[in-house]
Amino acid sequence: MVLSQFEGRYLLVSAQHAVEEREEVATIQRIIDAAPNSAAWGERPTLQALCVGRVMTLAVDDMFAKPGARCGNCAALWKTVVQQCPNCGSSAVEPVEDVVELALEKALAERAALELVRSDRARQLLR
């Protein structure tokens, strides 16, 4: 059987997507298995873990974006705007358009692994 260049490319892309899906599902399953003692699940616990440098792997749906807040003094991230930063007490808390993007940047700066979830199967595990 001889495949056209298009058919060969399609098979390669399909195989890559299957591998990516398996890796996403495996990562999410490891996080689920580590809970509740060694994993943070949800926005508030995850942002708190980031605040204290306790994130080894951050898994996020690549379509998820949410406004939030950041402390201008200590750079802590929060789910909502607060009058005073619970971390350092500063009143320099400012609203941000996408706290998820800032969390990804913070996790990368702390050398955490990132898993951007794109497959429906892995997204179902995140719920």
Side-chain angles (χ1 to χ4, degrees):
M1 171 188 242
V2 176
L3 297 176
S4 70
Q5 186 176 11
F6 173 76
E7 291 169 320
R9 174 98 173 113
Y10 174 76
L11 289 175
L12 177 62
V13 169
S14 294
Q16 287 173 333
H17 285 287
V19 168
E20 288 172 7
E21 180 180 274
R22 276 195 310 272
E23 290 174 355
E24 288 175 4
V25 168
T27 298
I28 301 303
Q29 192 59 55
R30 278 194 308 275
I31 294 169
I32 291 170
D33 292 344
N37 298 328
S38 298
W41 202 264
E43 297 162 37
R44 176 174 277 159
T46 301
L47 293 175
Q48 288 173 336
L50 271 170
C51 185
V52 295
R54 290 185 35 228
V55 174
M56 291 177 55
T57 302
L58 180 60
V60 177
D61 184 325
D62 76 332
M63 301 300 288
F64 186 59
K66 190 162 187 167
R70 173 180 49 198
C71 176
N73 185 52
C74 70
L77 301 173
W78 304 103
K79 185 177 170 180
T80 58
V81 178
V82 292
Q83 295 286 1
Q84 195 171 28
C85 176
N87 189 52
C88 71
S90 172
S91 61
V93 179
E94 57 193 23
V96 295
E97 201 171 298
D98 187 1
V99 73
V100 178
E101 183 68 30
L102 294 175
L104 291 169
E105 291 173 8
K106 187 172 183 87
L108 279 174
E110 294 177 5
R111 300 194 188 300
L114 296 183
E115 184 66 65
L116 295 177
V117 176
R118 295 181 176 98
S119 72
D120 290 336
R121 207 166 130 218
R123 281 186 173 119
Q124 288 174 352
L125 290 172
L126 284 175
R127 294 185 186 141

